Every structure is written in C-alpha cells, then in structure tokens.
Amino acid sequence: MTYPAARPVLAVEDLSVTFPTSHGAVKAVAGLSFTLSAGETLAIVGESGCGKSTAAMSILGLLAMRSRCHVSGRVLLDGRDLMSLSQQAMREVRGGGIGMIFQDPMMALNPVFTIGWQIAESLRLHRGLPAGAARRRAIELLDLVGIPSPAERYDQYPHNLSGGMRQRVMIAIALACEPKVLIADEPTTALDVTIQAQVLGLIERLKTELGMAVLLITHDLGVVWEVADRVAVMYAGRKVEEAPVTDLFRAPAHPYSQGLLRAARWQDDVSGRLPEIGGTVPSPLRMPKGCSFAPRCHRAMADCTLEPPGLTGGTRQVACHHPEFVAA
Amino acid sequence: MKSLLFVGKRAAVVVPSVLGIAVLNFTLLHMAPGDAADIIAAQSGGATTEFVEELRRSFGLDRPLWQQFFIYLGKLLTFDLGVSHVQQRPVLSLIAERAPATVLLMLTAILVATLLGMLFGTIAAMRHRKWLDSIISVLALLAYATPQFWLGLMLIVFFSVTLGILPSGGMMTIGQDISWPLRVLDIASHLVLPAVTLGLFYVALYTRLMRASMLEVYTYDFVTTARAKGVSETRVGFVHAAANALLPVVTMAGVQIGHMLGGSILVETVFGWPGLGRLLFDALQQRDLNLLLGILFISSILVVVANLVVDLLYGVLDPRMAK
Ligand SMILES: Nc1ncnc2c1ncn2[C@@H]1O[C@H](COP(=O)(O)OP(=O)(O)OP(=O)(O)O)[C@@H](O)[C@H]1O
Ligand SMILES: [Mg+2]
C-alpha cells in the first residue's frame, strides 16, 4: 500500500464544472484537484450525485459533447494540458492515452455491432492496424480479459453475453491501445457480487501487468479497501478528504468520511440501526455559504457556516474547520 | 439454420394475413348491392327471372355462404380472380399488365425516400440546434405539408412546361424503337417527376423520424463509449448512432408501403403513369367490382410481401431480432 512518489501521469488541477439549467447554475464539481502516478489506484468515493461521473467525463472532454456545461481548470496527462488540445489531438488521447469504462455494461456496448468489431475499431483508429491484424489483436485482448474461446466470441453481439462478460469486453476496448490511465466509473456496480470480485481482480492484474494508473470511481467502500492505494472522498462537488486507504480506514478526519465508514461497517455486521448521516445533500442550486456539509454535521460550530474550509495537509488532506484524527 | 427458422416464422405470418384479406374481400363482395348474376342480367338488358336464377346456379350463388366462401378461396389460391365484365378480360391479366409500372414507381419512391430521409435526419441530428439543422427541419416541414397533387402539378409546370427538360406524363416515349440502354434512360426520365411527387412527403417524414431517433440514440451510453475510445464525431454520427437510429425508420417504411399505394393512385392519375393506381381509378369509376376486388387482393399481397421483406431486412440490421 505504498505509492510511488514519481511524477504523476495524470494531474487534475482545480477542476470545476457548472451546468447552466433553467433553475440556475448547478456547480457539479468545484475546485477538484488530485494526482495519479503509474501503477497506482486512486479511488474517488462519495454519495450518488456528488459529481464523480461529471469529473471523470470532463477529464476526457466528453461532457461538453452531451450537455451544455462550463468546465474550467487543468487536466495534465504527462504534463500536457488536455484542455488546450485540438479536437484531433484530444481524440488521440481518448482511448490512446486514457481509457474509460462505464457503470452499465448492458448499455455501454453498441447493440448492432459485434464485440470484436468494437474492440478492433479502436486499434484501427489509433494504431492504424489493417483489418486482419486488428482482428488478431482483438482476439488476443478478449483472451487477456479472460473471455473463453475468444476467436468464436469475436463475431458475437453484446446481447449474446452476460453482464460480467460485457464488462470484460468494455475493459478490452478501454485497454486496446494500452493507455497510461484507466478511468473506471463504477465498473462493478451493475454486477453480481461474485462477478464484481472477478472484474476487480482483472483490473488489478492488468494494472500491474501494463503499469497503468487507475482512477476508480465507486460508492462502495468495500471495493476501495480491496483495490485502492489512495482514496479521495467527495461531497457535493468538492473533495473533502484524501488519504492513503489504510489511514482513511483507520482514522478518517472529516465527519462525512466518518459517517460513510460507519454506514459501511454497519453493512458488514448487521447488528444495530443503520447509522445514517442525518439530513440530505444540499441542493446544488442552494449551496450553503460556508462548509457544504455543515447542515448535516454533528460537529458543526458557528464558524463552519461562514466560509468553506480549504484543503490542508500533503498526503493526508482534509477540508474541515474542525478535523478530528481519531479512530471512527 | 437459425436464420432459416427466422425466415420460416416470418413467412408463416403471411398466411393469416392473406386469409384475412380474402375474408374482407368476400364480405365486401357480398355487401355490394346485387350479385354478379344481377349485373350480367342488367348488362344484357331485361332478362327473365328464370335466366337470372340459372345464372346464379351456374355461378354457385345459390349455395350456402360458407360453401361460396370456400369456392372463392379456392379460386384465389389458383389466382383465378374472375373476369372484368366491363373490359371483357380476365382480371389477372389486366393486373399483370399494370403491376410492374406501379412496383417500379413505388420501389423507387420508397427506397430513395428512405435513404434521403436517413441521410438528412442524421445530418440534422449531428448539427442539432445549429443552422443546418434548422434549415433541414424547416424544409422537411414544408415538404411534409405540401399537398401531393399540387406538388405534382407544380413540378410539371416547372420541369416540363417551363424548362422542358423532363417529360410530363406516361412511362416511355411511344413509337420509338430504341436500344435498351436508351430505353432505360427514357423510362428513368419519365420516372423522375412521379417518383419525386410520390416520395417527397416520405423524405420529409423519414427525415423527421430519423432526426428524432438519432437524438434519442445520442443519449445512449454506447455513444459515449465510442467517443471515449477516440471515434470522431462524424463517425459517431454516421456509423455508431445511425446504425441504431435507422431501425424505426425501416419499420415505418415497411408499414407505409400500403399507405404509399394509396398515394400512387393520385400520382399515377396526375402523370398518366400506366400502373395499378390508374387501373383502380378506372375500376372505381366504372363500378367494375371484380377488377376492384382483384386489385385489392393483389395489392394486399404486394404489401404483405413487402412487409415480409422489411422484416427480413430488420433481422439483418438488428442482430437482436435474428433469434
Ligand atoms: N447535464 C446536466 N445538467 C444539469 N445537471 C447535471 C447534469 N449532469 C449532472 N448534473 C448534476 O451534477 C451532479 C453530479 O452528477 P454526477 O452524475 O456526476 O454524480 P455521481 O457522483 O456520478 O453520482 P452517481 O453515483 O449516481 O453516479 C448531480 O447533482 C446532477 O444532478
Ligand atoms: Mg455516476
């Protein structure tokens, strides 16, 4: 669980995403920063709607293609700012430098093309492989992600495959051109528990074999514990805490992280009442002036509602006016 | 093997459809005032009741209705559609003469309309809310609202009368003995205006349908997957999204072949196109019941067969259907 202090392959700096809606501007991500080094897995956790997917999509510049939004900040891949790239150059990064897999493998594959074609397309676009070579490589990739009799599977359609198999195909597509970074947005949420473990194991194995950096988005702390090296906790569009996994699990500093952990532990031993975090996430249209967690926080004091807390610390970062480094 | 089964299943659906059409035809035949014997008697002018009874017996019209139905069905199965008493010729040969012209006109119109509709709809959706989208949408709305007869007349006025570059009627230049490539060109030039008149409405319809279908497909996750692997927006639109979005258009085109047959009556009349539509129009005016029902039956079969072809095509276009 040590992480290399090498120069990061991916650095996100002060990433903010705002959606203009008819009710007003929705700030889905606010000032998110993190770094990711080769061979490392960073998990981003947080409740539904806290901006995890929005952040992931905007890293690849995919957000503006499907909805009206304003994205600011910097995303550096090997020191190159992706935000300032041309469309053409950005397309080379997508699938070439950064691969991405999504939550729902049922919908993420195109139903009218064979799975082999969908993998080979990436190879033809990025590597310029001719059809025959792309096919051979795609079959190798199907084999790599653990799909039995890959040569026969090549010509099958997504509807012929189970959810777990489809997610393996998605991984094969994302890894086809050996990207430096893999972004996995809740890759196992839609799968059975046993399949979940297999898919996570596969991502782990490929990360080590290919020396990738993995950005794993999840709301399952069990998954974080299994595979992540570091974890960033997001709340209402902001990163509220970041720490090595062991540190965060041993002693979470932010009251929100503490609440999340308590809720997760309750699921492990079904003994008492679910220790819910009281209250609900504030509407993105009416964010509190101070700390956005203050209305739900049992430790909130007068100063918490005045201004939002900044992030402190180096390897252990926390954004709280009154952090508490104790075992939860 | 699997696909053979699919074809078999689809083809099996044709049987009840054709049977249903036969029942409908038979009912219409019996709802019409007077029967064949009355009509013939009336035509021969002042026949005795005995003569009419004799005629009835010889046609089997005195038998119970269900027996008559099976006799009728037996005739249909052997494509014996009876004789047109007005034209004094077998109905089947009258139809056989005219059907190719209609099939040519309709196939041209529907194929071109489907392809153009898909193309324009795709482009409009790819340029959603940009000026190109607005232009396509406005033009589609205009074409959608243009009455067919008016369009036909305006096309004749402009292209035949004013510019004089396209013939205004008929299917080929009469009385010319020309080699077949020239004949094909000749027929094609006659085909342009009627096909445009018949097809323009459908171009508009399929453009709107394809655009809406594309916009929906654009929200699907696999579009994001394609973008995330570095596929260009042009390719995302024309390949990844369009391949999914065209399915509803193909379904619609299949359903509307029957609808189009209705439109072709008008177009064939305006352009003097020697097809089934004209024949039907004449049969209606002359109260030629046998011919009318014959055309109804044959065109229903055409529609059923066309739907079968579309079903099979659908199996090719959507791998999920080929089960
Ligand atoms: N196109 C959009 N227009 C307006 N608001 C949006 C849009 N997309 C997302 N949002 C808002 O942004 C916020 C973050 O959404 P996002 O999907 O990133 O959350 P998430 O953390 O991925 O949640 P989940 O765990 O459910 O996937 C939500 O409040 C959502 O309502
Ligand atoms: Mg999400």
Side-chain angles (χ1 to χ4, degrees):
Chain A
M1 292 284 169
T2 54
Y3 52 95
R7 197 174 83 136
V9 274
L10 183 74
V12 170
E13 294 174 3
D14 202 22
L15 181 72
S16 293
V17 181
T18 313
F19 295 106
T21 69
S22 48
H23 307 287
V26 168
K27 195 154 197 175
V29 178
L32 178 67
S33 302
F34 62 82
T35 61
L36 192 57
S37 306
E40 183 190 36
T41 302
L42 170 68
I44 296 186
V45 293
E47 280 168 301
S48 187
C50 70
K52 306 183 295 291
S53 299
T54 305
M57 298 275 279
S58 51
I59 289 174
L60 272 183
L62 293 172
L63 212 52
M65 297 181 151
R66 42 187 307 163
S67 37
R68 255 157 43 83
C69 62
H70 181 256
V71 182
S72 65
R74 295 208 306 165
V75 175
L76 304 167
L77 181 70
D78 274 335
R80 198 161 63 130
D81 187 4
L82 301 186
M83 299 283 192
S84 59
L85 290 186
S86 67
Q87 278 297 323
Q88 170 69 35
M90 197 58 207
R91 278 203 296 277
E92 275 158 29
V93 170
R94 292 185 197 122
I98 303 178
M100 185 159 180
I101 54 182
F102 302 95
Q103 173 170 349
D104 189 356
M106 293 299 168
M107 295 300 298
L109 289 169
N110 197 319
V112 306
F113 296 112
T114 65
I115 55 168
W117 185 90
Q118 295 185 54
I119 300 171
E121 184 185 31
S122 211
L123 295 163
R124 284 186 286 117
L125 290 178
H126 290 288
R127 296 275 162 91
L129 290 190
R135 185 188 174 96
R136 279 193 298 281
R137 177 74 186 129
I139 292 174
E140 276 173 32
L141 282 161
L142 283 172
D143 192 39
L144 181 73
V145 297
I147 287 183
S149 44
E152 286 93 80
R153 289 283 179 180
Y154 183 97
D155 292 308
Q156 290 194 329
Y157 291 93
H159 72 267
N160 299 125
L161 276 67
S162 67
M165 284 294 159
R166 289 186 206 190
Q167 198 59 297
R168 285 171 191 266
V169 173
M170 277 303 294
I171 295 173
I173 291 176
L175 300 188
C177 300
E178 291 162 19
K180 293 187 174 128
V181 177
L182 175 70
I183 301 179
D185 188 354
E186 311 206 22
T188 58
T189 308
L191 305 176
D192 303 345
V193 182
T194 49
I195 311 293
Q196 274 187 18
Q198 288 173 12
V199 169
L200 287 173
L202 174 66
I203 294 178
E204 267 295 282
R205 196 191 89 211
L206 294 175
K207 181 193 83 172
T208 325
E209 279 175 19
L210 306 174
M212 284 185 309
V214 176
L215 181 64
L216 178 75
I217 291 168
T218 178
H219 51 237
D220 185 340
L221 284 173
V223 168
V224 174
W225 178 251
E226 289 297 326
V227 301
D229 301 311
R230 269 185 309 138
V231 53
V233 180
M234 275 183 77
Y235 182 78
R238 290 173 190 278
K239 182 171 83 176
V240 293
E241 183 162 8
E242 185 187 319
V245 167
T246 38
D247 292 359
L248 186 102
F249 276 66
R250 198 185 312 116
H254 195 282
Y256 177 65
S257 316
Q258 293 167 358
L260 275 185
L261 273 170
R262 267 200 301 277
R265 295 228 167 98
W266 178 85
Q267 285 180 338
D268 288 344
D269 56 334
V270 190
S271 49
R273 259 167 39 80
L274 176 64
E276 282 176 346
I277 308 172
T280 51
V281 186
S283 156
L285 293 168
R286 261 172 279 112
M287 274 297 163
K289 189 155 75 72
C291 170
S292 52
F293 189 62
R296 298 171 76 183
C297 183
H298 66 278
R299 290 210 308 261
M301 290 176 212
D303 58 340
C304 291
T305 57
L306 294 180
E307 57 180 295
L311 270 172
T312 58
T315 56
R316 284 224 57 176
Q317 304 177 338
V318 59
C320 179
H321 288 300
H322 307 284
E324 173 181 82
F325 293 92
V326 295
Chain B
M1 183 60 224
K2 230 168 151 184
S3 53
L4 253 174
L5 205 70
F6 176 72
V7 173
K9 264 193 216 156
R10 289 290 152 176
V13 179
V14 173
V15 176
S17 321
V18 172
L19 211 61
I21 295 158
V23 172
L24 191 73
N25 261 5
F26 184 73
T27 317
L28 285 175
L29 192 66
H30 280 267
M31 267 168 34
D35 53 23
D38 286 324
I39 293 169
I40 293 175
Q43 276 171 352
S44 63
T48 61
T49 15
E50 286 92 66
F51 176 64
V52 174
E53 283 309 311
E54 182 54 40
L55 266 179
R56 272 213 177 101
R57 237 190 320 280
S58 75
F59 285 152
L61 292 173
D62 56 338
R63 305 212 194 168
L65 214 55
W66 65 270
Q67 279 189 12
Q68 287 189 42
F69 177 67
F70 277 106
I71 292 168
Y72 176 73
L73 207 60
K75 283 185 173 172
L76 284 189
L77 285 182
T78 55
F79 281 93
D80 174 4
L81 300 174
V83 172
S84 155
H85 298 294
V86 177
Q87 310 216 20
Q88 303 287 346
R89 286 182 57 196
V91 167
L92 191 64
S93 70
L94 278 172
I95 292 177
E97 254 168 36
R98 299 298 195 90
T102 294
V103 169
L104 176 67
L105 176 61
M106 287 197 9
L107 271 187
T108 310
I110 199 109
L111 280 181
V112 172
T114 314
L115 291 178
L116 285 184
M118 284 174 182
L119 181 67
F120 295 151
T122 302
I123 293 173
M126 286 170 67
R127 290 275 170 275
H128 185 42
R129 300 213 174 123
K130 308 265 166 55
W131 59 267
L132 195 55
D133 178 27
S134 312
I135 289 178
I136 290 177
S137 296
V138 167
L139 286 181
L141 197 66
L142 268 179
Y144 190 76
T146 307
Q148 244 170 15
F149 74 90
W150 184 86
L151 175 67
L153 294 177
M154 285 304 128
L155 287 177
I156 290 177
V157 166
F158 190 66
F159 287 100
S160 308
V161 180
T162 310
L163 294 182
I165 50 174
L166 285 171
S168 66
M171 188 171 158
M172 52 184 90
T173 316
I174 320 261
Q176 262 185 6
D177 200 17
I178 48 179
S179 60
W180 70 263
L182 284 178
R183 179 55 82 199
V184 169
L185 269 181
D186 182 43
I187 293 181
S189 70
H190 281 81
L191 183 59
V192 174
L193 293 187
V196 169
T197 308
L198 184 59
L200 193 69
F201 168 82
Y202 297 92
V203 175
L205 189 66
Y206 299 151
T207 298
R208 287 158 52 120
L209 196 63
M210 186 71 182
R211 179 179 177 274
S213 180
M214 281 288 290
L215 289 180
E216 187 187 331
V217 169
Y218 263 129
T219 67
Y220 293 166
D221 285 352
F222 61 75
V223 170
T224 308
T225 304
R227 286 170 175 158
K229 67 180 178 188
V231 178
S232 70
E233 275 310 287
T234 316
R235 198 175 153 85
V236 165
F238 281 114
V239 179
H240 289 257
N244 285 272
L246 57 80
L247 296 172
V249 179
V250 171
T251 310
M252 194 69 169
V255 171
Q256 282 181 332
I257 287 176
H259 185 235
M260 195 175 235
L261 200 62
S264 77
I265 299 177
L266 191 129
V267 172
E268 287 181 9
T269 312
V270 170
F271 287 94
W273 187 260
L276 280 180
R278 275 286 297 288
L279 195 64
L280 183 71
F281 185 71
D282 295 343
L284 267 172
Q285 285 211 314
Q286 297 165 342
R287 295 174 191 278
D288 193 343
L289 194 62
N290 261 355
L291 181 57
L292 206 60
L293 291 181
I295 296 172
L296 218 59
F297 183 72
I298 294 292
S299 45
S300 316
I301 288 188
L302 279 184
V303 170
V304 169
V305 169
N307 284 338
L308 180 68
V309 171
V310 170
D311 269 355
L312 298 181
L313 188 65
Y314 208 92
V316 176
L317 292 176
D318 187 352
R320 284 164 299 184
M321 300 298 287
K323 273 192 193 146

